[in-house]
Structure formats: C-alpha cells, structure tokens
Amino acid sequence: MCSQLEELDVLDLLSKRHMNLRKKVERMWNSANEIKISNSEWYVISFTYKKQPTIATITKQVDITRQATHKLIKGLEQKGVLEIHNALHNKKDKCVTLTSYGDSIYEEYTKIKNELESDISHHIGKEQLQLLKAIISNDWGIED
C-alpha cells in the first residue's frame, strides 16, 4: 500500500480513492474530447440519463446547493447536453432531460469508466475487484 494511504482510516481511504478516480476519469474525458465537463456536471448528467428528474430532485440527489444546481444545469444546457422544460404535474417545477448529444456523451463516459475499471481489475485482480464491489454494495448500517 502507498505510504501516504497507510495512515488513513477507512473514511479517508474511501474519500481519497474516490477523489483520485473521479479526477482520473475527468482527465481522461477532457483530454479526449473538445467539450470539457466537470465531475459535478457528470453527476447531473449521470442522474439525468434515461430519466426526467426535476431540478429540485437533482439538487437533493447530487447534494449541492440550489444555486449550484441551477448553474450546472444552465452550463450543461449551453453546451447542448440537456434541456429544461416544464414538469407535467406541476407548472412551477422544471424537469431536465438529456439531449441526444447528452445521451451519446454519457455513453462515451461510461466506456471510459469501464476502461478504468478494467485497469483496476488488471492491477488488483478480477476476484479482488468483485469482492471490493460486493463490500461497497453491502448494507453498512449507516444510511440516512
């Protein structure tokens, strides 16, 4: 194990690995594509893929402020990634859907994540990766 990581507790280890993985995926995407997308924008895109969530739902799910959510959504709309429209059930609510371009970049992003997962599997072994996924997926008794 890297000496920097040896001193960390489980929360810090998970956080550090998560941050490093997200940075790597963002770099991989941004170096191969003209349109630059931040990790926060990817969270919104991922949550919106094949769904039509309201902006309020995105705010809760992504766990960022209402203002930040609106800013991210407006930026993604300007990039042609998503569209904002009125919700059918409530005229006050706004829903978000990915454009066909948004769908295609999300699918490309998924390929990058799969490539990274394959690299991780190569380094730690397929069985270890499956065990890690199972452990992370288990109920830890800490959910809100």
Side-chain angles (χ1 to χ4, degrees):
M1 184 182 269
C2 299
S3 61
Q4 290 178 324
L5 299 178
E6 288 176 356
E7 301 295 320
L8 299 177
D9 61 31
V10 71
L11 295 176
D12 291 338
L13 279 170
L14 286 169
S15 186
K16 181 78 171 159
R17 287 292 189 194
H18 177 255
M19 183 176 55
N20 289 342
L21 287 168
R22 285 287 168 194
K23 283 181 181 178
K24 180 154 180 96
V25 172
E26 183 179 8
R27 278 193 311 271
M28 289 171 74
W29 169 267
N30 287 339
S31 68
N33 293 279
E34 214 170 279
I35 183 172
K36 306 304 179 209
I37 299 181
S38 71
N39 281 319
S40 297
E41 289 173 318
W42 280 120
Y43 278 124
V44 172
I45 293 168
S46 296
F47 187 70
T48 307
Y49 184 69
K50 301 290 184 193
K51 300 177 202 143
Q52 294 185 16
T54 64
I55 294 174
T57 303
I58 293 170
T59 299
K60 289 176 191 167
Q61 185 67 31
V62 180
D63 197 27
I64 56 177
T65 67
R66 207 171 133 264
Q67 275 182 307
T69 303
H70 280 277
K71 185 176 179 180
L72 287 172
I73 289 170
K74 284 291 182 190
L76 289 168
E77 183 181 38
Q78 290 172 348
K79 292 176 184 179
V81 174
L82 54 77
E83 297 172 332
I84 303 167
H85 51 87
N86 291 328
L88 296 175
H89 64 281
N90 182 337
K91 292 180 183 177
K92 289 182 184 179
D93 281 341
K94 300 286 185 196
C95 287
V96 176
T97 55
L98 293 181
T99 61
S100 58
Y101 176 65
D103 283 339
S104 69
I105 67 166
Y106 178 77
E107 289 160 5
E108 286 180 49
Y109 178 69
T110 300
K111 288 177 187 173
I112 291 171
K113 291 192 308 180
N114 290 339
E115 180 184 322
L116 183 56
E117 184 173 315
S118 178
D119 289 347
I120 292 167
S121 179
H122 176 75
H123 281 86
I124 69 171
K126 188 176 182 176
E127 296 79 19
Q128 290 290 86
L129 180 63
Q130 293 305 319
L131 179 59
L132 176 62
K133 289 169 81 171
I135 290 168
I136 291 171
S137 298
N138 283 343
D139 179 3
W140 293 4
I142 57 172
E143 305 302 318
D144 288 340

